[in-house]
C-alpha cells in the first residue's frame, strides 16, 4: 500500500526536541482508562523505548484486561518509584485526570508535556499539543511517529489503531475523516489486526456487565429528547468487581427519539459520575464543563456530590435546556 499523504497535522518542534533529548519520561494516562488512554500510553511508551529511552508508563487505575494484547501492558504501574526527567500527560484535559500519580510533590517543577485531543483541554503543561479535530490521542501519536521519522511496525500500529477504533466506536463518529481512514489502512498494512481489536475492545463484555445493563435499563426514563438511566450501588451488590455500565450510555442514545443520553453512576465514595452522549448538533461538553467536568461535544462527563436521584433530576433538566436552546436557534435560522 502507498503511504498516506503527508499528514496535515504537525507536532510542535519544541515537543520533538523534548522527546529526542529526554532520557526517562514518565507517561501518564487518565484515570478510569479507556482504549485511547491505554492505546496512546503504550504506543508512545513503545515508540520512546524503541528510540532508546527508558519510559515509565503509569495510570492510577489498573488497565482493564481487555487491553492485555497491547505492548508494555504488563509494565503499566499504579505507583511511580523512580525519578523521571519529564512528565507527559496523555488524553487528559486537565491535571486532575492524572489522579494520584501526578499529586506527588516530588513531581512539582518537572517539565510537563500535554498531548490531548479534547476541546475542553485547559492547557496545563509547559508544552501543550492539543488537537481537537483529531479523533483520538492515538491519531496524534501517529503524527508524532511520522514527524520523528520513526517507522511503523506491527506492535506500534496495533497500539495506535486501538485508540482510533475505541474512541470512534468502530469508525462511527463524525471526526472520522478520509485521513483517519488512510492512516487506518497504513496501520493495517503494518500488521495491526483491525478485526481482533474491534472484537476485543468493542464486542466483548463480561457476564456481570450484561446483568448490570439489564438492571440499569430498567431505570430508563425519557422526556423532551433526553434519555437517562441510573446505576446505583444497591444494583451492583451481588456483582463483584464492576462499577460502570460500560457502553450503556451510547446504547440508550440509539433510541430513535433521543437527542441526548445520560447515565448516572453512584460511585463507592458516594459521588455521582455522570456520563453524557449527544447526537450531532447537540453539545454535552458545554454542560459537563459547567459542572466541573470535560469531554467532547458528542461525549462528555463529570462527577458531582449529592444523592443519585436529585443529581439525575437537576442534570436532566440542564440537558433538556440544551435541547430547547438548540431547537430555538434552529427555528430562528429557518
Ligand atoms: Mn481520547
Amino acid at each position: 500500500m502507498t503511504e498516506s499523504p503527508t499528514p496535515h497535522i504537525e507536532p510542535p518542534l519544541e515537543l520533538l526536541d523534548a522527546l529526542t533529548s529526554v532520557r526517562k519520561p514518565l507517561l501518564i494516562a487518565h484515570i478510569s482508562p479507556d482504549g485511547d488512554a491505554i492505546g496512546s500510553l503504550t504506543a508512545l511508551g513503545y515508540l520512546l523505548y524503541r528510540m532508546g529511552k527508558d519510559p515509565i508508563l503509569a495510570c492510577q487505575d489498573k488497565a482493564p484486561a481487555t487491553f492485555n494484547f497491547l505492548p508494555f501492558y504488563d509494565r503499566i504501574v499504579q505507583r511511580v518509584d523512580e525519578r523521571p526527567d519529564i512528565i507527559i500527560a496523555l488524553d487528559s484535559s486537565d491535571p486532575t485526570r492524572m489522579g494520584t500519580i501526578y499529586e506527588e510533590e516530588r513531581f512539582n517543577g518537572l517539565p510537563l508535556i500535554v498531548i490531548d485531543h479534547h476541546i475542553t483541554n485547559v492547557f496545563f503543561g509547559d508544552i501543550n499539543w492539543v488537537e481537537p479535530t483529531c479523533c483520538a490521542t492515538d491519531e496524534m501519536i501517529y503524527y508524532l511517529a511520522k514527524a520523528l521519522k520513526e517507522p511503523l511496525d506491527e506492535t506500534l500500529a496495533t497500539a495506535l489503531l486501538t485508540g482510533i477504533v475505541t474512541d470512534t466506536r468502530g469508525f462511527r463518529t463524525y471526526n472520522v475523516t478520509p485521513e483517519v481512514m488512510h492512516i487506518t489502512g497504513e496501520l493495517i498494512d503494518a500488521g495491526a489486526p483491525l478485526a481482533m481489536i474491534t472484537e476485543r475492545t468493542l464486542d466483548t463484555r463480561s457476564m456481570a456487565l450484561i446483568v448490570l445493563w439489564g438492571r440499569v435499563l430498567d431505570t430508563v426514563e425519557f422526556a423532551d429528547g433526553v434519555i437517562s438511566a441510573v446505576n446505583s450501588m444497591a444494583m451492583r451488590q451481588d456483582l463483584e468487581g464492576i462499577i460502570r455500565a460500560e457502553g450503556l450510555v451510547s446504547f440508550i442514545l440509539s433510541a430513535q427519539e433521543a437527542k441526548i443520553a445520560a447515565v448516572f453512576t453512584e460511585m463507592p465514595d458516594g459521588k455521582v459520575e455522570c456520563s453524557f452522549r449527544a447526537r450531532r448538533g447537540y453539545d454535552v461538553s458545554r454542560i459537563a464543563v459547567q459542572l466541573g467536568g470535560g469531554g467532547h461535544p458528542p461525549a462528555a462527563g463529570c462527577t458531582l456530590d449529592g444523592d443519585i436521584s436529585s443529581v439525575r433530576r437537576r442534570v436532566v433538566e440542564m440537558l433538556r435546556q440544551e435541547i430547547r436552546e438548540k431547537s430555538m436557534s434552529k427555528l430562528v435560522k429557518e
Side-chain angles (χ1 to χ4, degrees):
M1 204 188 104
T2 51
E3 281 231 336
S4 300
T6 310
H8 79 282
I9 288 177
E10 304 240 358
L13 284 177
E14 50 174 351
L15 171 62
L16 301 179
D17 286 344
L19 293 183
T20 311
S21 56
V22 73
R23 284 175 43 219
K24 195 188 252 305
L26 168 59
L27 281 53
I28 307 178
H30 63 72
I31 52 177
S32 322
D34 56 17
D36 191 32
I38 299 301
S40 57
L41 177 69
T42 55
L44 184 59
Y46 174 74
L47 181 67
L48 290 168
Y49 175 80
R50 226 181 47 183
M51 289 164 65
K53 318 294 183 187
D54 185 19
I56 309 164
L57 282 64
C59 182
Q60 175 198 293
D61 304 321
K62 207 171 154 24
T66 317
F67 302 116
N68 65 10
F69 61 90
L70 288 171
F72 292 168
Y73 171 86
D74 295 323
R75 282 179 49 163
I76 304 173
V77 294
Q78 276 80 62
R79 254 187 60 106
V80 180
D81 299 316
E82 298 162 279
R83 167 103 191 151
D85 45 14
I86 59 166
I87 298 179
I88 306 176
L90 292 162
D91 203 36
S92 302
S93 50
D94 68 72
T96 65
R97 298 288 289 154
M98 291 185 284
T100 52
I101 305 275
Y102 191 62
E103 281 166 16
E104 301 221 21
E105 226 164 279
R106 63 202 169 94
F107 294 154
N108 289 354
L110 283 179
L112 176 63
I113 295 175
V114 171
I115 302 178
D116 183 33
H117 71 126
H118 292 88
I119 196 160
T120 54
N121 193 289
V122 296
F123 290 73
F124 55 99
D126 301 298
I127 299 175
N128 298 286
W129 182 34
V130 178
E131 300 283 359
T133 62
C134 285
C135 69
T137 298
D138 253 336
E139 185 188 347
M140 298 174 69
I141 306 299
Y142 166 89
Y143 298 131
L144 193 57
K146 289 281 145 171
L148 291 165
K149 309 239 178 323
E150 284 291 326
L152 297 173
D153 61 20
E154 184 182 330
T155 307
L156 180 58
T158 300
L160 292 173
L161 192 55
T162 297
I164 293 174
V165 164
T166 52
D167 262 19
T168 63
R169 290 183 294 109
F171 307 101
R172 280 176 165 96
T173 52
Y174 284 95
N175 50 17
V176 175
T177 57
E179 190 169 6
V180 171
M181 298 315 287
H182 271 291
I183 292 169
T184 299
E186 208 181 319
L187 297 175
I188 293 171
D189 204 36
L194 172 61
M196 183 278 273
I197 293 171
T198 306
E199 192 197 329
R200 289 286 297 271
T201 60
L202 300 176
D203 292 337
T204 305
R205 294 176 180 89
S206 68
M207 201 54 223
L209 182 57
I210 301 281
V211 172
L212 181 61
W213 267 42
R215 293 174 189 170
V216 178
L217 278 171
D218 241 359
T219 71
V220 158
E221 285 175 10
F222 174 80
D224 305 328
V226 178
I227 189 163
S228 70
V230 294
N231 169 7
S232 69
M233 300 269 278
M235 289 158 67
R236 314 188 290 266
Q237 242 174 14
D238 58 332
L239 302 174
E240 231 175 272
I242 183 168
I243 297 175
R244 296 178 182 85
E246 302 286 353
L248 187 82
V249 67
S250 297
F251 176 71
I252 60 175
L253 185 63
S254 65
Q256 199 165 21
E257 295 80 2
K259 302 198 164 49
I260 291 178
V263 169
F264 302 94
T265 306
E266 190 181 9
M267 301 302 283
D269 64 3
K271 295 192 178 187
V272 179
E273 197 181 84
C274 313
S275 182
F276 309 129
R277 293 293 182 277
R279 286 191 190 271
R280 184 160 214 191
Y282 300 90
D283 180 359
V284 283
S285 71
R286 239 166 34 106
I287 288 154
V289 166
Q290 275 176 41
L291 294 168
H296 310 279
C302 61
T303 302
L304 300 174
D305 290 314
D307 79 282
I308 192 160
S309 38
S310 59
V311 167
R312 179 192 209 175
R313 226 173 302 123
R314 180 160 75 93
V315 175
V316 163
E317 185 44 43
M318 291 175 76
L319 296 170
R320 282 185 192 154
Q321 185 59 30
E322 162 71 15
I323 292 177
R324 278 195 290 269
E325 277 168 25
K326 284 286 149 68
S327 331
M328 286 290 279
S329 64
K330 268 183 208 147
L331 279 177
V332 173
K333 265 184 230 152
E334 276 161 14

